[in-house]
Amino acid sequence: VPVAIRQEDARYVTLKRDGAVAYAHAVAGRFDEADAVAKALIDLGEATSSTRARSLGYGVASMASYLRGSEAAAIANAQRAIAVANEPIYREFSRFILANIFAGFGRVEPAVVTVNACRQFAGTSGASLWEAMLEPPEAVVQLLTGQLSQGIARLVDAAKGTGLAARTAEVYLAVT
């Protein structure tokens, strides 16, 4: 029996799909494609007043910029994603991206501040996803502050997992 999907639910599913597509393009190094999808999400957000679309668009744009090595664009887009988000999950997901960006570019002070903000949210959210996502940037902060054996051990442990956090930890291990 076909089930009618409310238009707002269909739009939400489309946003999530497009965000995943943009992220996949970025991870695969197809930055032009990632940028095009991110821009489409931002434009949709502007046209429909959807903070979800705008935050997601800026978030995936920040990830694409980070992976291509564009520090200023990565930071600016992550900060925009946080600023426009009016729901904790979008704001905090973008803050976790920003923590990785600061850590990945060796920006110790802002990395520590952002990781601490993420840690506070992770501790109160009750969702293990946030704890897992925090492992890679916290480990890199340890490396950046001279806690080498602890940072490497955390990255090795995080890389044993699944999903985004494990793949991020693998990348950090490869370049460490």
Side-chain angles (χ1 to χ4, degrees):
V1 173
V3 177
I5 298 176
R6 296 181 321 168
Q7 184 173 357
E8 69 182 38
D9 292 338
R11 186 170 46 230
Y12 180 72
V13 169
T14 300
L15 291 176
K16 292 297 210 175
R17 180 205 62 206
D18 290 351
V21 166
Y23 178 79
H25 282 310
V27 169
R30 296 187 301 267
F31 301 121
D32 289 342
E33 291 92 336
D35 290 342
V37 177
K39 183 178 181 331
L41 284 165
I42 295 164
D43 290 347
L44 175 66
E46 294 290 336
T48 64
S49 299
S50 170
T51 58
R52 287 177 176 170
R54 289 176 60 213
S55 182
L56 189 56
Y58 285 124
V60 295
S62 71
M63 183 61 71
S65 295
Y66 172 59
L67 293 173
R68 76 163 55 93
S70 300
E71 181 177 354
I75 292 168
N77 282 319
Q79 289 172 331
R80 284 185 196 111
I82 293 165
V84 301
N86 67 355
E87 296 174 64
I89 192 165
Y90 289 90
R91 183 179 52 253
E92 297 308 321
F93 186 77
S94 296
R95 193 179 321 275
F96 277 79
I97 291 172
L98 184 60
N100 277 289
I101 290 167
F102 283 142
F105 282 115
R107 305 269 309 264
V108 178
E109 291 302 320
V112 169
V113 169
T114 308
V115 163
N116 287 340
C118 291
R119 168 59 54 209
Q120 183 177 7
F121 177 78
T124 60
S125 74
S128 60
L129 163 74
W130 300 112
E131 294 288 336
M133 286 181 58
L134 191 53
E135 283 298 310
E138 277 189 328
V140 173
V141 165
Q142 286 180 310
L143 294 174
L144 293 171
T145 58
Q147 301 171 55
L148 301 180
S149 59
Q150 298 95 323
I152 292 293
R154 282 182 86 174
L155 286 175
V156 168
D157 284 344
K160 293 176 185 174
T162 60
L164 176 61
R167 302 303 66 86
T168 303
E170 287 176 349
V171 169
Y172 286 144
L173 281 169
V175 298
T176 300

